[in-house]
Amino acid sequence: MTNPVLEAIRTRRMARALTAEPIAHSDLEDVLKAARWAPSAGNRRLHRFIAVEDPLTIKLVRMVSPGMFQRPAAIVVICIDRAKAESFGMRPNAKGLFVDVGTAAQTMLLAAHSLGLGAGVVTSFSQAAVSAVLNLPEGLSPEMLVCLGHAAAIQPPGMPTRGRVTWQSLTQWERFPRA
């Protein structure tokens, strides 16, 4: 019997091409609900999500996001609440803030996959321009975009790997001296 969680992790892919078909608003809500369950440093929940469904707003975000190759039906902007982080005494570049962005993104990608949606992340964008397009309040810093839609049947190739990547090639076993 196959473990459904491990199977979802194994079969999830970045969607670099999406169809023009809209996604159900309820599916977007389910992706956002899943993000709530992502691990968070100290359970502080210092990230905020901006859900974008308006086609004109998506077009404007795409214009300032050179890394966005797909044409999504919806975008979730993962932001860090800098004021709240500061209230906890966290430095602006504290690793935990960015780990939280990554865990939220991965949780959304898995949720989208489980719903039959295509999804991909974008990190190449102008933070200032995205903040302006979305009229974000001061203190919210956009850090990653999660593009959502229906994956096109044919996907552009991903980045080439240098050789076969296995869990063994990525793992080094620690060798402790015997007592």
Side-chain angles (χ1 to χ4, degrees):
M1 178 181 228
T2 303
N3 179 306
V5 174
L6 294 176
E7 186 65 12
I9 292 168
R10 187 186 68 74
T11 58
R12 187 212 50 77
R13 297 288 179 269
M14 289 291 182
R16 291 174 178 84
L18 301 168
T19 69
E21 180 184 353
I23 64 171
H25 183 78
S26 60
D27 284 346
L28 177 56
E29 286 181 351
D30 285 343
V31 169
L32 292 163
K33 287 175 190 174
R36 174 180 175 261
W37 295 104
S40 171
N43 203 25
R44 291 186 177 116
R45 306 289 169 198
L46 301 175
H47 44 275
R48 298 292 177 265
F49 308 110
I50 310 299
V52 182
E53 294 179 285
D54 176 62
L56 177 58
T57 306
I58 291 171
K59 184 177 182 175
L60 292 171
V61 170
R62 283 190 79 243
M63 290 173 67
V64 298
S65 304
M68 190 182 297
F69 302 112
Q70 57 276 81
R71 296 183 183 279
I75 299 171
V76 177
V77 182
I78 305 174
C79 299
I80 293 173
D81 185 335
R82 298 281 180 189
K84 190 167 183 188
E86 188 178 321
S87 76
F88 282 108
M90 296 182 81
R91 296 180 324 276
N93 59 349
K95 289 180 186 177
L97 296 170
F98 301 101
V99 170
D100 287 358
V101 169
T103 59
Q106 180 64 10
T107 301
M108 283 190 261
L109 293 173
L110 286 168
H113 179 61
S114 76
L115 294 167
L117 297 175
V121 298
V122 175
T123 57
S124 175
F125 61 92
S126 166
Q127 289 179 298
V130 167
S131 293
V133 166
L134 299 175
N135 196 28
L136 296 181
E138 191 170 330
L140 274 192
S141 170
E143 300 296 334
M144 188 179 291
L145 311 176
V146 178
C147 298
L148 299 165
H150 294 278
I154 298 174
Q155 292 289 315
M159 298 298 290
T161 60
R162 292 181 170 87
R164 182 168 156 78
V165 177
T166 65
W167 72 267
Q168 293 95 338
S169 67
L170 298 172
T171 305
Q172 178 178 339
W173 292 98
E174 184 63 39
R175 306 275 187 236
F176 294 103
R178 293 211 161 130

